[in-house]
Amino acid sequence: MSGVLLWVVSPKENANSLLSLMPRIGSPRRSKLCSRLTFSTGVLAYSGAVAHPARSSEEMVYEVVLKQAALVREQSRVKERALDLDERIETDGLTNWDLLNQAYDRCGEVCAEYAKTFYLGTLLMTPERRRAVWAIYVWCRRTDELVDGPNASYITPKALDRWEKRLTDLFEGRPYDMYDAALSDTVSKYPVDIQPFKDMVEGMRLDLRKSRYQNFDELYLYCYYVAGTVGLMSVPVMGISPESKASTETVYNAALALGIANQLTNILRDVGEDARRGRVYLPQDELAQAGLSDDDIFRGKVTDKWKMFMKGQIKRARMFFDEAEKGVSELNSASRWPVWASLLLYRQILDAIEANGYDNFTKRAYVGKAKKLVSLPVAYGKAVIGPSKLTKQLVSR
C-alpha cells in the first residue's frame, strides 16, 4: 500500500485510475517538447542514500533533510544540463513555451480532478508556485500508479529501474513526455534535490517485495519513502515565510512529520483493505506485545486487545500531526491553506476510526462533506495567522 501525498492528499482517495497518466516505461517515446533532445534507455542500478544498517531510520532520513535544507538556504542550484526554453523552437506550429504551458495546464487538470480540495488551495499561490506544485503532484501520482494502478501486476523491479532512469533524465533536462517536461522545468527553477524522488521510487520497490514490517523503525522508513518524501519535494516550491524565525531544518522536519502522520493514518484506516490483499502494515513486534498476530487481523474481529492496540497507534499518529503543526505556519503565507486543510482533514480520519469503535476491518473511516466544509474556513483562519503568533498559540496549549 503506497500512499503518495503532496503534504496534503492521498491519490488513492479517488478510486478511478489515472489510465491516461500511466507512464510508458518499456520503450520511451519522445514528447514534442523534447523532439530535439537525446534520450538514454539504460537501466540505472539502485544506490540508496538512506540505506545503512548501523543507524536508525530517523537518523538516515535526517541526512536527506539536512541536504535538502542546505539547498534551500543556498537558494540556487547548478544544473549540468537544463532545458533550453529561451530558444523558441517551432514544433508543429507551437513553440517550446506553448508546449510547456500546455504541460502545466494538463498537470493542473489532473490535480483538479483527483485532489479537489488541495487544488482550490493552490489557486491562492502565485501562478509559478502552483504550476510547480501541480507538476510534483502528477509525478508522485504516476509513481504511485505503477504499483497501485490497473497495471500493477505487470510492474517488475526492472520497470521501476527504468522509471528511476527517466527521473534522472528529467532532472538533467531530458524529459520523455509532457508531464516529465513540466517537472523538469520545475526542478530547474527551484532548489529541489533528486534524492526524495529516488527514495519514493524505492518505496514502490518495497511494495513489490515486502508485506510485513518487524518494528516501527522499519515502518517509519517506509512511510518516509512513500509520503514523507513529498514534503521535502514541495517545501522549496511552497516557500518559507520571510517572517519565519524557525530554522530551515525545523520546517523540513515538520513537512516530513506531516507525511509520516498522513501515511500512518492511511495505514490505520486501511487495515481491513490491506489484509484482504495479504498485507499487514503494522509493526509486528508491537502486535505481539499486545497479544495479537496477523491471524487476528485476517479474522477481522474487534476485541479489547485490538482496541487497546489501536489507541496506541492513533496516539502516535497524532504526535506526528502535532509536530507537523509547528512547521505549517512557517510556510509562505500563500502556501499555508492547502497544507493546513490537509492536516486538519487527515487528523479527523483518526477521530472517525475511534467513532467506528476501532473497526477498521469492515468500516472505512472518512470525513464527511459537512465536516470538510467546516474545516476549510478553520484551515484558512490558521493560514492567515503569522508564524510568530501561531507558534505562541501552540506553545501555550
Side-chain angles (χ1 to χ4, degrees):
M1 177 191 73
S2 58
V4 176
L5 20 137
L6 193 55
W7 264 46
V8 294
V9 288
S10 169
K12 294 172 68 177
E13 289 299 300
N14 190 316
N16 296 323
S17 296
L18 217 58
L19 291 171
S20 63
L21 285 184
M22 283 299 292
R24 298 183 178 88
I25 51 181
S27 55
R29 296 172 61 185
R30 301 183 183 186
S31 69
K32 291 181 178 179
L33 178 60
C34 314
S35 59
R36 64 190 174 92
L37 303 176
T38 302
F39 302 139
S40 56
T41 57
V43 173
L44 182 69
Y46 169 69
S47 59
V50 284
H52 195 295
R55 295 168 295 160
S56 72
S57 293
E58 289 192 45
E59 290 172 330
M60 293 186 285
V61 171
Y62 189 57
E63 289 188 6
V64 184
V65 171
L66 290 177
K67 182 179 179 183
Q68 178 63 83
L71 279 175
V72 171
R73 280 196 300 267
E74 292 169 7
Q75 287 299 305
S76 64
R77 62 192 296 265
V78 178
K79 294 179 66 66
E80 294 181 1
R81 192 174 179 186
L83 280 173
D84 182 12
L85 294 172
D86 291 327
E87 182 183 354
R88 296 178 66 84
I89 293 180
E90 296 289 336
T91 308
D92 294 342
L94 297 173
T95 66
N96 268 14
W97 282 114
D98 293 329
L99 293 167
L100 186 59
N101 285 331
Q102 287 182 12
Y104 276 120
D105 288 344
R106 289 286 296 276
C107 290
E109 290 169 4
V110 172
C111 189
E113 181 175 358
Y114 293 92
K116 294 179 177 63
T117 301
F118 175 64
Y119 174 78
L120 291 175
T122 64
L123 297 182
L124 295 178
M125 298 179 182
T126 63
E128 186 176 76
R129 287 184 194 275
R130 68 169 166 257
R131 281 156 50 107
V133 166
W134 293 343
I136 293 173
Y137 172 83
V138 169
W139 184 87
C140 291
R141 176 146 193 136
R142 296 176 85 191
T143 302
D144 187 59
E145 286 286 301
L146 291 174
V147 297
D148 266 356
N151 297 321
S153 59
Y154 302 103
I155 296 299
T156 64
K158 287 187 176 180
L160 292 178
D161 289 341
R162 290 193 292 271
W163 184 242
E164 187 171 344
K165 178 62 172 64
R166 281 183 57 157
L167 171 68
T168 301
D169 286 345
L170 75 83
F171 260 80
E172 295 175 353
R174 298 191 301 275
Y176 283 82
D177 60 24
M178 67 187 307
Y179 299 111
D180 284 357
L183 182 59
S184 186
D185 182 61
T186 290
V187 301
S188 72
K189 293 177 178 177
Y190 293 93
V192 181
D193 186 53
I194 195 174
Q195 192 60 51
F197 292 83
K198 287 186 173 182
D199 288 342
M200 179 174 282
V201 177
E202 179 60 13
M204 304 305 114
R205 290 189 178 98
L206 281 180
D207 270 328
L208 291 184
R209 68 173 185 260
K210 194 176 179 72
S211 60
R212 301 290 188 281
Y213 292 84
Q214 293 305 311
N215 50 51
F216 184 70
D217 191 63
E218 287 188 7
L219 185 62
Y220 176 89
L221 187 59
Y222 172 73
C223 291
Y224 159 71
Y225 280 148
V226 301
T229 49
V230 192
L232 305 189
M233 298 173 192
S234 55
V235 169
V237 173
M238 292 186 168
I240 298 175
S241 172
E243 303 171 5
S244 174
K245 296 180 181 179
S247 68
T248 308
E249 288 85 355
T250 297
V251 179
Y252 271 91
N253 275 329
L256 176 63
L258 183 53
I260 301 295
N262 284 346
Q263 185 60 23
L264 289 175
T265 301
N266 282 340
I267 289 170
L268 299 180
R269 179 195 62 193
D270 297 340
V271 168
E273 177 185 331
D274 291 328
R276 288 186 284 276
R277 300 167 60 192
R279 294 180 173 274
V280 177
Y281 288 93
L282 299 168
Q284 293 289 308
D285 61 343
E286 294 178 18
L287 282 169
Q289 290 168 12
L292 298 165
S293 67
D294 289 355
D295 289 338
D296 293 301
I297 294 175
F298 294 142
R299 278 193 291 269
K301 186 177 180 180
V302 179
T303 62
D304 289 340
K305 287 183 180 180
W306 178 253
K307 290 179 180 179
M308 288 299 297
F309 174 75
M310 284 303 301
K311 287 178 181 179
Q313 300 299 308
I314 289 173
K315 180 179 180 180
R316 177 162 54 202
R318 284 181 173 142
M319 289 173 60
F320 278 100
F321 278 120
D322 290 342
E323 184 66 26
E325 287 193 22
K326 299 176 184 177
V328 180
S329 59
E330 309 298 336
L331 293 174
N332 182 283
S333 59
S335 302
R336 293 177 204 146
W337 187 35
V339 183
W340 267 118
S342 159
L343 192 154
L344 295 178
L345 291 172
Y346 251 77
R347 282 194 79 136
Q348 290 181 69
I349 294 176
L350 298 175
D351 298 338
I353 294 174
E354 292 173 331
N356 287 340
Y358 303 98
D359 182 2
N360 42 8
F361 300 117
T362 62
K363 297 180 180 178
R364 183 176 176 84
Y366 67 93
V367 180
K369 288 185 178 180
K371 289 186 177 180
K372 285 184 179 180
L373 290 175
V374 171
S375 297
L376 292 180
V378 173
Y380 184 78
K382 289 180 176 290
V384 298
I385 298 176
S388 58
K389 292 181 180 178
L390 191 59
T391 300
K392 289 179 181 178
Q393 289 183 12
L394 293 173
V395 171
S396 64
R397 284 182 177 178

